[in-house]
Amino acid sequence: MNYPDIDKIYRTMPLEKIPWICEALPEPITRLLEEEKVAPCRSIDLGCGTGNYTICLSAMGFDIIGVDSSKTAIALARNQAMQRGALCRFIVADVLGDVHEVKGTFEFAFDWELLHHIYPEDRETYINNVYRLLRPGATYFSACFAESDGGFGGTGKYRETGIGTTLYFSSEDEIRDLVAPQFTIRELATREIAGKYGPHSMICLLAQRK
């Protein structure tokens, strides 16, 4: 399965039409903060896109870096951060590579709507990178589309979207099996989460690096 050209989407589509670009922090992340399961610390936003969530958390006191493979998205993120006076950094790096561009380790890592863009054969590489980027005992949060989601039509594991991407819809068991060797799972549940164009069934994971 070949990956779509995500950078082309950022170059050619109006930003307001890209479904994963939202201004406000998603409710599950806000809930983590309200319940004090995560507090301001050295953090990394994996697959940050145009940087909205990175910038929001920076304003809350997080020492945060945003990472994305799209040069266009990172350029947009840097420009937005400069305009808003945000004290955060953005790095172009492939989360399926060796992420050598990212220096140091972190106390909190999260990916929002990234994992369903990563196909099963590459997920071990990805989770190994997450593990290496985190300090022992650090917190990892992830949210991806569940196989029960009906927002895109169809019921297969692979589903095409209207903007030319192909997404992989996971089960809770798949996520558990992916992270359990290197992380202690604190929460794993499928929840209905508000999206840009309607609600989605999403698997939300909260885990701690072993």
Side-chain angles (χ1 to χ4, degrees):
M1 182 76 67
N2 295 322
Y3 288 103
D5 186 348
I6 296 294
D7 194 71
K8 182 179 179 181
I9 291 174
Y10 285 111
R11 294 195 312 268
T12 60
M13 282 190 68
L15 296 183
E16 65 272 14
K17 299 292 185 182
I18 298 177
W20 57 80
I21 296 181
C22 298
E23 293 269 338
L25 279 174
E27 182 274 333
I29 296 179
T30 300
R31 183 170 59 89
L32 292 179
L33 301 174
E34 291 173 347
E35 295 177 356
E36 298 183 346
K37 294 176 180 176
V38 175
C41 60
R42 180 167 164 77
S43 305
I44 186 165
D45 178 355
L46 296 160
C48 67
T50 56
N52 288 341
Y53 304 154
T54 312
I55 292 169
C56 284
L57 290 171
S58 174
M60 296 178 180
F62 284 76
D63 175 12
I64 188 165
I65 292 173
V67 173
D68 204 281
S69 62
S70 167
K71 293 180 181 179
T72 302
I74 290 297
L76 291 166
R78 288 170 176 163
N79 183 61
Q80 182 180 197
M82 182 177 64
Q83 290 180 350
R84 294 168 62 174
L87 299 176
C88 52
R89 293 192 296 124
F90 294 97
I91 297 172
V92 178
D94 182 3
V95 296
L96 299 181
D98 63 6
V99 291
H100 65 273
E101 302 91 344
V102 182
K103 308 302 181 186
T105 55
F106 301 85
E107 297 169 80
F108 176 52
F110 73 96
D111 53 66
W112 181 264
E113 296 190 355
L114 171 66
L115 200 56
H116 49 245
H117 290 276
I118 299 176
Y119 304 143
E121 60 267 27
D122 294 320
R123 288 185 171 185
E124 185 176 352
T125 297
Y126 173 69
I127 205 67
N128 285 341
N129 280 336
V130 176
Y131 179 83
R132 285 195 296 269
L133 288 168
L134 288 175
R135 300 170 185 170
T139 300
Y140 170 50
F141 176 80
S142 178
C144 65
F145 292 150
E147 60 185 356
S148 59
D149 182 66
F152 294 92
T155 57
K157 299 292 284 185
Y158 292 93
R159 304 180 207 174
E160 294 185 7
T161 73
I163 64 170
T165 57
T166 299
L167 308 180
Y168 183 85
F169 290 68
S170 301
S171 68
E172 288 185 18
D173 284 344
E174 285 176 296
I175 301 302
R176 182 181 293 106
D177 291 345
L178 176 68
V179 303
Q182 296 166 306
F183 293 83
T184 300
I185 295 172
R186 300 301 186 196
E187 298 176 12
L188 180 64
T190 300
R191 301 177 57 200
E192 185 174 282
I193 305 296
K196 194 168 187 175
Y197 301 117
H200 288 284
S201 293
M202 299 187 69
I203 299 171
C204 294
L205 165 77
L206 182 66
Q208 185 176 26
R209 183 197 186 277
K210 293 180 180 177

